[in-house]
Coordinates of all heavy atoms in Angstrom, one line a residue:
M1 N 11.3 -13.7 1.8 CA 11.3 -12.2 1.7 C 10.3 -11.8 0.5 O 10.1 -12.6 -0.4 CB 12.7 -11.7 1.3 CG 13.7 -12.0 2.4 SD 13.5 -11.1 3.9 CE 14.4 -9.5 3.5
A2 N 9.8 -10.7 0.7 CA 8.9 -10.1 -0.3 C 9.7 -9.0 -1.0 O 10.4 -8.2 -0.4 CB 7.6 -9.5 0.3
K3 N 9.5 -8.9 -2.4 CA 10.2 -7.8 -3.1 C 9.1 -6.8 -3.4 O 8.1 -7.1 -4.0 CB 10.7 -8.4 -4.4 CG 11.6 -7.4 -5.1 CD 12.2 -7.9 -6.4 CE 13.2 -9.0 -6.2 NZ 13.8 -9.5 -7.5
V4 N 9.4 -5.5 -2.9 CA 8.4 -4.5 -3.1 C 9.0 -3.4 -4.0 O 10.1 -2.9 -3.7 CB 8.0 -3.8 -1.7 CG1 6.9 -2.8 -1.9 CG2 7.6 -4.9 -0.7
K5 N 8.3 -3.1 -5.0 CA 8.8 -2.1 -6.0 C 7.9 -0.9 -6.1 O 6.6 -1.0 -6.0 CB 8.8 -2.7 -7.4 CG 9.7 -3.9 -7.5 CD 9.7 -4.4 -9.0 CE 10.4 -5.8 -9.0 NZ 10.3 -6.4 -10.4
F6 N 8.5 0.3 -6.2 CA 7.8 1.6 -6.3 C 8.4 2.2 -7.6 O 9.3 3.0 -7.6 CB 8.0 2.5 -5.2 CG 7.6 1.9 -3.8 CD1 8.5 1.2 -3.1 CD2 6.3 2.1 -3.4 CE1 8.1 0.6 -1.8 CE2 5.9 1.6 -2.1 CZ 6.8 0.8 -1.4
P7 N 7.8 1.8 -8.8 CA 8.5 2.3 -10.0 C 8.5 3.8 -10.2 O 9.5 4.3 -10.8 CB 7.6 1.7 -11.1 CG 6.4 1.1 -10.5 CD 6.7 0.9 -9.0
N8 N 7.5 4.5 -9.6 CA 7.6 6.0 -9.8 C 8.8 6.6 -9.1 O 9.2 7.7 -9.4 CB 6.3 6.6 -9.2 CG 5.0 6.2 -9.9 OD1 5.1 5.6 -11.0 ND2 3.9 6.5 -9.4
D9 N 9.3 6.0 -8.0 CA 10.4 6.5 -7.3 C 11.7 5.7 -7.5 O 12.7 6.0 -6.9 CB 10.1 6.5 -5.8 CG 9.0 7.5 -5.4 OD1 9.3 8.7 -5.4 OD2 7.9 7.1 -5.2
N10 N 11.6 4.7 -8.4 CA 12.7 3.9 -8.7 C 13.3 3.3 -7.5 O 14.5 3.2 -7.3 CB 13.8 4.8 -9.5 CG 14.7 3.9 -10.3 OD1 14.4 2.8 -10.7 ND2 15.9 4.4 -10.6
V11 N 12.4 2.7 -6.7 CA 12.8 2.1 -5.4 C 12.4 0.6 -5.5 O 11.3 0.3 -5.9 CB 12.2 2.7 -4.2 CG1 12.4 1.9 -2.9 CG2 12.7 4.1 -4.0
E12 N 13.3 -0.3 -5.1 CA 13.0 -1.7 -5.0 C 13.7 -2.3 -3.8 O 14.9 -2.1 -3.6 CB 13.5 -2.4 -6.3 CG 13.2 -3.8 -6.4 CD 13.7 -4.4 -7.7 OE1 13.6 -3.7 -8.7 OE2 14.1 -5.6 -7.7
V13 N 12.9 -2.9 -2.9 CA 13.5 -3.4 -1.6 C 12.9 -4.8 -1.3 O 11.8 -5.1 -1.8 CB 13.2 -2.4 -0.4 CG1 14.0 -1.1 -0.6 CG2 11.7 -2.2 -0.3
E14 N 13.7 -5.5 -0.5 CA 13.2 -6.8 -0.1 C 12.9 -6.6 1.4 O 13.7 -6.1 2.2 CB 14.2 -7.9 -0.3 CG 14.3 -8.2 -1.8 CD 15.0 -9.6 -2.0 OE1 15.4 -10.2 -1.0 OE2 15.1 -10.0 -3.2
V15 N 11.7 -7.1 1.8 CA 11.4 -7.0 3.2 C 10.8 -8.4 3.7 O 10.2 -9.1 2.9 CB 10.3 -5.9 3.5 CG1 10.9 -4.5 3.1 CG2 9.0 -6.2 2.7
P16 N 10.8 -8.7 5.0 CA 10.2 -9.9 5.4 C 8.7 -9.8 5.4 O 8.1 -8.7 5.6 CB 10.7 -10.1 6.9 CG 11.3 -8.8 7.3 CD 11.5 -8.0 6.0
A17 N 8.0 -11.0 5.2 CA 6.6 -11.0 5.3 C 6.2 -10.5 6.7 O 6.9 -10.8 7.7 CB 6.1 -12.4 5.1
G18 N 5.1 -9.8 6.8 CA 4.7 -9.2 8.0 C 5.0 -7.7 8.1 O 4.6 -7.0 9.1
T19 N 5.8 -7.2 7.2 CA 6.1 -5.8 7.2 C 5.0 -4.9 6.8 O 4.3 -5.2 5.8 CB 7.3 -5.6 6.2 OG1 8.4 -6.4 6.7 CG2 7.8 -4.1 6.2
M20 N 4.8 -3.8 7.5 CA 3.8 -2.8 7.1 C 4.3 -2.0 5.9 O 5.5 -1.5 5.9 CB 3.5 -1.9 8.2 CG 2.8 -2.5 9.4 SD 1.2 -3.4 9.1 CE 0.2 -2.0 8.7
L21 N 3.4 -1.8 4.9 CA 3.8 -1.0 3.8 C 4.3 0.4 4.2 O 5.2 1.0 3.6 CB 2.7 -0.9 2.7 CG 3.0 -0.2 1.4 CD1 4.1 -0.9 0.7 CD2 1.7 -0.2 0.5
R22 N 3.6 1.0 5.2 CA 4.0 2.3 5.6 C 5.5 2.4 6.0 O 6.2 3.4 5.7 CB 3.1 2.8 6.8 CG 3.5 4.1 7.3 CD 2.6 4.7 8.3 NE 2.9 6.1 8.6 CZ 2.1 7.0 9.1 NH1 0.9 6.6 9.4 NH2 2.5 8.2 9.3
D23 N 6.0 1.3 6.7 CA 7.4 1.3 7.1 C 8.3 1.3 5.9 O 9.3 1.9 5.9 CB 7.6 0.1 8.0 CG 6.9 0.2 9.4 OD1 6.6 1.4 9.8 OD2 6.6 -0.8 10.0
V24 N 7.9 0.5 4.9 CA 8.7 0.4 3.7 C 8.8 1.8 3.0 O 9.9 2.2 2.6 CB 8.1 -0.6 2.7 CG1 9.0 -0.8 1.5 CG2 7.9 -2.0 3.4
V25 N 7.7 2.5 2.9 CA 7.6 3.8 2.3 C 8.5 4.8 3.1 O 9.3 5.5 2.5 CB 6.1 4.3 2.3 CG1 6.1 5.8 2.0 CG2 5.3 3.5 1.3
E26 N 8.3 4.8 4.4 CA 9.0 5.8 5.2 C 10.5 5.5 5.3 O 11.3 6.4 5.4 CB 8.4 5.9 6.6 CG 7.0 6.5 6.4 CD 6.3 6.8 7.7 OE1 6.6 6.1 8.8 OE2 5.4 7.6 7.8
N27 N 10.9 4.3 5.3 CA 12.3 3.9 5.4 C 13.1 4.1 4.1 O 14.3 4.0 4.1 CB 12.5 2.5 5.9 CG 12.0 2.3 7.3 OD1 11.9 3.3 8.1 ND2 11.6 1.1 7.7
N28 N 12.4 4.3 3.0 CA 13.1 4.3 1.7 C 12.8 5.5 0.9 O 13.1 5.6 -0.3 CB 12.7 3.0 0.9 CG 13.2 1.8 1.5 OD1 14.4 1.4 1.4 ND2 12.3 1.1 2.3
G29 N 12.2 6.5 1.5 CA 12.1 7.8 0.9 C 11.1 7.8 -0.3 O 11.2 8.6 -1.2
V30 N 10.1 6.9 -0.2 CA 9.1 6.8 -1.3 C 8.1 8.0 -1.2 O 7.7 8.4 -0.1 CB 8.4 5.5 -1.2 CG1 7.3 5.4 -2.3 CG2 9.4 4.3 -1.5
N31 N 7.7 8.5 -2.3 CA 6.9 9.7 -2.3 C 5.4 9.4 -2.2 O 4.6 9.7 -3.0 CB 7.2 10.5 -3.6 CG 6.6 11.9 -3.6 OD1 6.4 12.5 -2.6 ND2 6.2 12.3 -4.8
I32 N 5.1 8.8 -1.0 CA 3.7 8.5 -0.7 C 3.5 9.2 0.7 O 4.4 9.0 1.6 CB 3.4 7.0 -0.6 CG1 3.5 6.4 -2.0 CG2 2.0 6.8 0.0 CD1 3.5 4.9 -2.0
H33 N 2.4 9.9 0.9 CA 2.3 10.7 2.2 C 1.1 10.2 3.0 O 0.1 9.7 2.5 CB 2.2 12.2 1.8 CG 3.3 12.6 1.0 ND1 4.6 12.9 1.6 CD2 3.5 12.8 -0.3 CE1 5.4 13.2 0.7 NE2 4.8 13.2 -0.5
F34 N 1.3 10.3 4.3 CA 0.3 9.9 5.3 C -0.2 11.0 6.1 O 0.5 12.0 6.3 CB 1.0 8.8 6.2 CG 1.5 7.6 5.5 CD1 2.8 7.6 5.1 CD2 0.7 6.6 5.2 CE1 3.3 6.5 4.4 CE2 1.2 5.5 4.4 CZ 2.5 5.5 4.1
A35 N -1.5 10.9 6.5 CA -2.0 12.0 7.3 C -2.6 11.3 8.6 O -2.0 11.3 9.6 CB -3.0 12.8 6.6
C36 N -3.8 10.8 8.5 CA -4.5 10.2 9.6 C -3.8 9.0 10.2 O -3.8 8.7 11.4 CB -6.0 9.9 9.3 SG -6.2 8.5 8.2
G37 N -3.3 8.1 9.3 CA -2.6 6.9 9.7 C -3.5 5.8 10.0 O -3.0 4.7 10.4
D38 N -4.8 6.0 10.0 CA -5.7 4.9 10.3 C -6.8 4.6 9.3 O -7.9 4.1 9.7 CB -6.3 5.0 11.8 CG -7.1 6.3 11.9 OD1 -7.4 6.9 10.9 OD2 -7.5 6.6 13.0
G39 N -6.6 4.9 8.1 CA -7.5 4.5 7.0 C -8.7 5.4 6.9 O -9.7 5.0 6.2
R40 N -8.7 6.6 7.4 CA -9.9 7.5 7.3 C -9.8 8.6 6.3 O -10.8 9.0 5.7 CB -10.2 8.1 8.7 CG -10.8 7.1 9.7 CD -11.0 7.8 11.0 NE -9.8 8.3 11.6 CZ -9.5 9.5 11.9 NH1 -10.4 10.5 11.7 NH2 -8.3 9.8 12.4
C41 N -8.6 9.1 6.0 CA -8.5 10.3 5.2 C -8.3 10.1 3.7 O -8.6 10.9 2.9 CB -7.4 11.2 5.7 SG -5.8 10.6 5.4
G42 N -7.7 9.0 3.3 CA -7.5 8.7 1.9 C -6.2 9.3 1.3 O -5.9 9.1 0.2
A43 N -5.4 10.0 2.1 CA -4.2 10.7 1.7 C -3.2 9.7 1.1 O -2.4 10.1 0.2 CB -3.6 11.5 2.8
C44 N -3.2 8.5 1.6 CA -2.2 7.5 1.2 C -2.6 6.5 0.1 O -2.1 5.4 0.0 CB -1.7 6.8 2.4 SG -3.0 5.8 3.2
L45 N -3.7 6.9 -0.7 CA -4.2 6.1 -1.7 C -3.1 5.7 -2.7 O -2.4 6.5 -3.2 CB -5.3 6.8 -2.4 CG -6.1 6.0 -3.5 CD1 -7.0 5.0 -2.8 CD2 -7.0 7.0 -4.3
V46 N -3.0 4.3 -2.9 CA -2.1 3.8 -3.9 C -2.7 2.8 -4.8 O -3.8 2.3 -4.5 CB -0.8 3.2 -3.2 CG1 0.0 4.2 -2.5 CG2 -1.3 2.0 -2.3
K47 N -2.1 2.6 -6.0 CA -2.5 1.5 -6.9 C -1.6 0.3 -6.7 O -0.4 0.5 -6.8 CB -2.5 2.1 -8.3 CG -2.9 1.0 -9.3 CD -2.8 1.7 -10.7 CE -3.2 0.7 -11.8 NZ -3.2 1.3 -13.1
I48 N -2.2 -0.8 -6.5 CA -1.4 -2.1 -6.4 C -1.4 -2.7 -7.9 O -2.3 -3.2 -8.3 CB -2.0 -3.1 -5.4 CG1 -2.2 -2.4 -4.0 CG2 -1.1 -4.3 -5.4 CD1 -0.9 -1.9 -3.4
V49 N -0.2 -2.5 -8.5 CA -0.1 -2.9 -9.9 C 0.1 -4.4 -10.0 O -0.4 -5.1 -10.9 CB 1.1 -2.2 -10.6 CG1 1.3 -2.7 -12.0 CG2 0.9 -0.7 -10.5
K50 N 0.7 -5.0 -8.9 CA 1.0 -6.4 -8.9 C 1.0 -6.8 -7.4 O 1.5 -6.1 -6.6 CB 2.3 -6.7 -9.6 CG 2.6 -8.1 -9.7 CD 3.9 -8.3 -10.5 CE 4.4 -9.7 -10.5 NZ 5.7 -9.9 -11.0
G51 N 0.5 -8.0 -7.2 CA 0.8 -8.6 -5.8 C -0.3 -8.4 -4.8 O 0.0 -8.6 -3.6
M52 N -1.5 -8.0 -5.2 CA -2.6 -7.8 -4.2 C -2.8 -9.1 -3.4 O -3.1 -9.0 -2.2 CB -3.9 -7.5 -5.0 CG -5.0 -7.1 -4.1 SD -4.8 -5.4 -3.3 CE -5.6 -4.4 -4.6
E53 N -2.5 -10.2 -4.0 CA -2.7 -11.5 -3.3 C -1.7 -11.7 -2.1 O -1.8 -12.6 -1.3 CB -2.7 -12.7 -4.2 CG -1.3 -13.0 -4.9 CD -1.0 -12.0 -6.1 OE1 -1.7 -11.1 -6.4 OE2 0.1 -12.3 -6.7
N54 N -0.7 -10.9 -2.1 CA 0.4 -11.0 -1.1 C 0.1 -10.1 0.1 O 0.9 -10.0 1.0 CB 1.7 -10.7 -1.7 CG 2.1 -11.7 -2.7 OD1 1.8 -12.9 -2.6 ND2 2.8 -11.3 -3.8
L55 N -1.0 -9.3 0.0 CA -1.3 -8.3 1.0 C -2.4 -8.8 2.0 O -3.2 -9.7 1.6 CB -1.7 -7.0 0.4 CG -0.7 -6.5 -0.7 CD1 -1.3 -5.2 -1.3 CD2 0.7 -6.3 -0.1
N56 N -2.5 -8.1 3.1 CA -3.6 -8.4 4.0 C -5.0 -8.0 3.4 O -5.0 -7.3 2.4 CB -3.4 -7.6 5.3 CG -3.4 -6.1 5.1 OD1 -3.0 -5.6 4.1 ND2 -3.9 -5.4 6.1
Q57 N -6.1 -8.5 4.0 CA -7.4 -8.1 3.6 C -7.6 -6.6 4.0 O -7.0 -6.1 4.9 CB -8.4 -8.9 4.3 CG -8.4 -10.4 4.0 CD -8.9 -10.7 2.6 OE1 -10.0 -10.3 2.3 NE2 -8.1 -11.4 1.9
R58 N -8.5 -5.9 3.3 CA -8.8 -4.5 3.7 C -9.4 -4.4 5.1 O -10.2 -5.3 5.4 CB -9.8 -3.9 2.7 CG -9.2 -3.7 1.3 CD -10.2 -3.2 0.3 NE -9.6 -2.9 -0.9 CZ -9.3 -3.8 -1.9 NH1 -9.6 -5.0 -1.7 NH2 -8.8 -3.4 -3.0
T59 N -8.9 -3.4 5.8 CA -9.5 -3.2 7.2 C -10.9 -2.6 7.0 O -11.2 -2.1 5.9 CB -8.6 -2.3 8.0 OG1 -8.5 -1.0 7.3 CG2 -7.2 -2.8 8.1
E60 N -11.7 -2.5 8.0 CA -13.0 -2.0 7.9 C -13.0 -0.5 7.6 O -13.7 0.0 6.8 CB -13.8 -2.2 9.3 CG -14.2 -3.7 9.4 CD -15.0 -4.2 8.3 OE1 -16.0 -3.5 7.8 OE2 -14.7 -5.3 7.8
S61 N -12.1 0.3 8.3 CA -12.0 1.7 8.0 C -11.5 1.9 6.5 O -12.0 2.8 5.8 CB -11.1 2.4 9.0 OG -9.8 2.0 8.9
E62 N -10.6 1.1 6.1 CA -10.1 1.2 4.7 C -11.3 0.9 3.7 O -11.4 1.7 2.8 CB -9.0 0.2 4.5 CG -8.4 0.3 3.1 CD -7.3 -0.7 2.9 OE1 -7.1 -1.6 3.7 OE2 -6.6 -0.6 1.8
K63 N -12.1 -0.1 4.0 CA -13.2 -0.4 3.1 C -14.1 0.8 3.0 O -14.5 1.2 1.9 CB -14.0 -1.6 3.6 CG -13.4 -2.9 3.3 CD -14.3 -4.0 3.8 CE -13.6 -5.3 4.1 NZ -14.4 -6.3 4.8
R64 N -14.4 1.4 4.1 CA -15.4 2.5 4.1 C -14.8 3.7 3.3 O -15.5 4.3 2.5 CB -15.6 3.0 5.6 CG -16.7 2.2 6.3 CD -17.2 3.0 7.5 NE -16.1 3.1 8.5 CZ -15.8 2.2 9.4 NH1 -16.4 1.1 9.4 NH2 -14.8 2.5 10.2
T65 N -13.5 4.0 3.6 CA -12.9 5.2 2.9 C -12.8 4.9 1.4 O -13.1 5.8 0.6 CB -11.5 5.5 3.5 OG1 -11.7 5.7 4.9 CG2 -10.9 6.7 2.9
L66 N -12.4 3.7 1.0 CA -12.2 3.4 -0.4 C -13.6 3.5 -1.1 O -13.7 4.0 -2.3 CB -11.6 2.0 -0.6 CG -10.2 1.8 -0.3 CD1 -9.7 0.4 -0.3 CD2 -9.3 2.7 -1.2
E67 N -14.7 3.1 -0.4 CA -16.0 3.2 -1.0 C -16.4 4.7 -1.2 O -16.9 5.1 -2.2 CB -17.0 2.5 -0.1 CG -18.3 2.2 -0.7 CD -19.2 1.4 0.2 OE1 -18.7 0.3 0.7 OE2 -20.3 1.8 0.4
L68 N -16.1 5.5 -0.2 CA -16.4 6.9 -0.3 C -15.7 7.6 -1.4 O -16.2 8.5 -2.1 CB -16.1 7.6 1.1 CG -17.0 7.4 2.2 CD1 -16.4 8.0 3.5 CD2 -18.4 8.1 1.9
L69 N -14.4 7.1 -1.6 CA -13.6 7.7 -2.7 C -14.0 7.1 -4.1 O -13.5 7.6 -5.1 CB -12.1 7.4 -2.4 CG -11.5 8.0 -1.2 CD1 -10.1 7.5 -1.0 CD2 -11.4 9.6 -1.5
G70 N -14.8 6.1 -4.1 CA -15.2 5.5 -5.4 C -14.0 4.8 -6.0 O -13.8 4.8 -7.2
A71 N -13.1 4.3 -5.1 CA -11.8 3.7 -5.6 C -12.0 2.4 -6.3 O -12.9 1.6 -5.9 CB -10.8 3.6 -4.4
E72 N -11.2 2.2 -7.4 CA -11.3 0.9 -8.1 C -10.7 -0.2 -7.2 O -10.0 0.0 -6.3 CB -10.4 1.0 -9.4 CG -10.9 2.1 -10.4 CD -10.4 3.5 -10.1 OE1 -9.7 3.7 -9.1 OE2 -10.6 4.3 -11.0
P73 N -11.0 -1.5 -7.6 CA -10.5 -2.6 -6.8 C -9.0 -2.7 -6.7 O -8.5 -3.4 -5.8 CB -11.1 -3.8 -7.5 CG -12.1 -3.3 -8.4 CD -11.8 -1.9 -8.7
D74 N -8.2 -2.1 -7.6 CA -6.8 -2.2 -7.5 C -6.2 -1.1 -6.5 O -5.0 -1.0 -6.4 CB -6.1 -2.1 -8.8 CG -6.4 -0.8 -9.6 OD1 -7.2 0.0 -9.0 OD2 -5.9 -0.6 -10.6
K75 N -7.0 -0.4 -5.8 CA -6.5 0.7 -4.9 C -6.5 0.1 -3.5 O -7.3 -0.6 -3.1 CB -7.4 1.9 -5.0 CG -7.5 2.5 -6.4 CD -6.1 3.0 -6.8 CE -6.2 3.9 -8.1 NZ -6.9 3.3 -9.2
R76 N -5.5 0.6 -2.7 CA -5.4 0.4 -1.3 C -5.0 1.7 -0.6 O -4.5 2.6 -1.2 CB -4.4 -0.7 -1.0 CG -4.7 -2.1 -1.5 CD -5.8 -2.8 -0.8 NE -5.7 -2.8 0.7 CZ -5.3 -3.9 1.4 NH1 -4.9 -5.0 0.8 NH2 -5.2 -3.8 2.7
L77 N -5.2 1.7 0.7 CA -4.7 2.8 1.5 C -3.4 2.3 2.1 O -3.4 1.3 2.9 CB -5.7 3.2 2.6 CG -7.0 3.7 2.0 CD1 -8.0 4.0 3.1 CD2 -6.8 5.0 1.2
A78 N -2.3 2.9 1.8 CA -1.0 2.4 2.1 C -0.8 2.2 3.6 O -0.1 1.3 4.1 CB 0.1 3.3 1.5
C79 N -1.5 3.1 4.4 CA -1.3 3.0 5.9 C -1.9 1.8 6.5 O -1.6 1.4 7.6 CB -1.8 4.3 6.6 SG -3.6 4.4 6.5
Q80 N -2.8 1.1 5.7 CA -3.5 -0.1 6.2 C -2.9 -1.4 5.6 O -3.5 -2.5 5.9 CB -5.0 0.0 5.9 CG -5.6 1.3 6.4 CD -5.6 1.2 8.0 OE1 -6.3 0.4 8.6 NE2 -4.9 2.1 8.6
V81 N -1.9 -1.3 4.8 CA -1.5 -2.5 4.1 C -0.3 -3.2 4.8 O 0.7 -2.5 5.1 CB -1.0 -2.1 2.7 CG1 -0.4 -3.3 1.9 CG2 -2.2 -1.6 1.9
K82 N -0.5 -4.5 5.0 CA 0.6 -5.3 5.5 C 1.0 -6.3 4.4 O 0.1 -6.9 3.8 CB 0.2 -6.1 6.8 CG 1.3 -6.9 7.4 CD 0.8 -7.9 8.4 CE 0.3 -7.2 9.7 NZ 0.0 -8.2 10.7
I83 N 2.3 -6.5 4.2 CA 2.8 -7.4 3.2 C 2.8 -8.8 4.0 O 3.6 -9.0 4.8 CB 4.1 -7.0 2.7 CG1 4.0 -5.7 2.0 CG2 4.7 -8.1 1.8 CD1 5.2 -4.8 2.1
E84 N 1.9 -9.6 3.6 CA 1.7 -10.9 4.4 C 2.4 -12.1 3.8 O 2.7 -13.0 4.6 CB 0.2 -11.2 4.5 CG -0.5 -10.3 5.5 CD -1.8 -10.8 5.9 OE1 -2.5 -11.6 5.2 OE2 -2.2 -10.5 7.1
K85 N 2.6 -12.1 2.5 CA 3.3 -13.2 1.9 C 4.5 -12.8 1.1 O 4.6 -11.7 0.6 CB 2.3 -13.9 1.0 CG 1.1 -14.5 1.6 CD 0.2 -15.1 0.6 CE -1.2 -15.3 1.2 NZ -2.2 -15.4 0.2
N86 N 5.4 -13.7 1.0 CA 6.6 -13.5 0.2 C 6.2 -13.5 -1.3 O 5.3 -14.3 -1.7 CB 7.6 -14.6 0.4 CG 8.2 -14.5 1.8 OD1 8.3 -13.4 2.4 ND2 8.6 -15.6 2.3
G87 N 6.7 -12.6 -2.1 CA 6.3 -12.5 -3.5 C 6.5 -11.0 -3.9 O 6.7 -10.1 -3.0
D88 N 6.3 -10.8 -5.1 CA 6.4 -9.4 -5.6 C 5.2 -8.6 -5.4 O 4.1 -9.0 -5.5 CB 6.7 -9.4 -7.2 CG 8.1 -9.9 -7.5 OD1 8.8 -10.3 -6.6 OD2 8.4 -10.0 -8.7
V89 N 5.5 -7.3 -5.0 CA 4.4 -6.3 -4.9 C 4.9 -5.1 -5.6 O 6.0 -4.6 -5.4 CB 4.1 -6.0 -3.4 CG1 3.0 -5.0 -3.3 CG2 3.7 -7.2 -2.6
V90 N 4.0 -4.5 -6.5 CA 4.4 -3.3 -7.2 C 3.3 -2.3 -6.8 O 2.1 -2.5 -7.0 CB 4.4 -3.5 -8.7 CG1 4.8 -2.2 -9.4 CG2 5.4 -4.6 -9.1
V91 N 3.8 -1.1 -6.4 CA 2.9 -0.1 -5.8 C 3.2 1.2 -6.6 O 4.3 1.7 -6.7 CB 3.2 0.2 -4.3 CG1 2.3 1.2 -3.8 CG2 3.2 -1.1 -3.5
E92 N 2.1 1.8 -7.1 CA 2.2 3.1 -7.8 C 1.6 4.2 -6.9 O 0.5 4.0 -6.4 CB 1.5 3.1 -9.1 CG 2.4 2.6 -10.2 CD 1.8 2.6 -11.6 OE1 0.7 3.2 -11.7 OE2 2.4 2.1 -12.5
N93 N 2.2 5.4 -6.9 CA 1.6 6.5 -6.2 C 0.3 7.0 -7.0 O 0.3 6.9 -8.3 CB 2.5 7.7 -6.3 CG 4.0 7.4 -5.9 OD1 4.3 6.2 -6.0 ND2 4.7 8.3 -5.6
V94 N -0.7 7.4 -6.3 CA -1.8 8.0 -7.0 C -1.8 9.5 -7.0 O -2.1 10.2 -8.0 CB -3.1 7.5 -6.3 CG1 -4.3 8.2 -6.8 CG2 -3.3 6.0 -6.6
Y95 N -1.3 10.1 -5.9 CA -1.2 11.6 -5.8 C 0.2 12.0 -6.0 O 1.1 11.4 -5.7 CB -1.7 12.0 -4.4 CG -3.1 11.6 -4.1 CD1 -3.5 10.9 -3.0 CD2 -4.2 12.1 -5.0 CE1 -4.8 10.5 -2.8 CE2 -5.5 11.7 -4.7 CZ -5.8 10.9 -3.6 OH -7.1 10.6 -3.4
Ligands
FES101 S1 -3.1 8.2 6.0 FE1 -5.2 8.6 6.1 S2 -6.0 6.9 5.1 FE2 -3.9 6.4 5.2

């Protein structure tokens, strides 16, 4: 299991590897919002404080959008993130 923490919302959950971050957010009332759902709009920008190595690689649309936003390397688009490995992941809201 992977332990995913959202310190801004005081949420901490364990999920199996392979879980989409969006599902974790929506199932636990975390204050991260989605719009396009496919990595184009940037609405779901988050900071990965810990555990980037436990996540999937950036998708092509995510890479393009993060570049347009001038996002730092610790940023991801939550709608494109899959938790691939067991381990801790800490996610902070940006908006
Ligand atoms: S919801 Fe649009 S990029 Fe994630």
Side-chain angles (χ1 to χ4, degrees):
M1 299 290 274
K3 190 181 289 180
V4 188
K5 299 179 189 175
F6 301 90
N8 297 349
D9 291 287
N10 204 22
V11 169
E12 183 174 325
V13 290
E14 288 199 358
V15 298
T19 300
M20 295 300 294
L21 185 60
R22 180 173 188 159
D23 293 334
V24 183
V25 166
E26 292 184 338
N27 292 339
N28 294 282
V30 174
N31 192 29
I32 294 169
H33 301 285
F34 300 93
C36 72
D38 63 10
R40 287 178 296 121
C41 73
C44 64
L45 186 69
V46 292
K47 177 177 179 178
I48 305 299
V49 178
K50 185 178 175 193
M52 187 72 88
E53 68 279 7
N54 297 322
L55 308 178
N56 63 328
Q57 298 286 309
R58 289 176 176 82
T59 63
E60 287 306 313
S61 63
E62 183 181 10
K63 281 185 204 168
R64 275 195 301 275
T65 303
L66 289 172
E67 197 175 308
L68 284 170
L69 293 171
E72 297 88 350
D74 60 354
K75 300 296 191 306
R76 294 290 308 258
L77 297 174
C79 70
Q80 300 297 294
V81 173
K82 183 193 287 187
I83 299 148
E84 286 198 330
K85 297 180 195 157
N86 294 329
D88 287 1
V89 180
V90 179
V91 183
E92 274 185 4
N93 316 20
V94 169
Y95 300 122

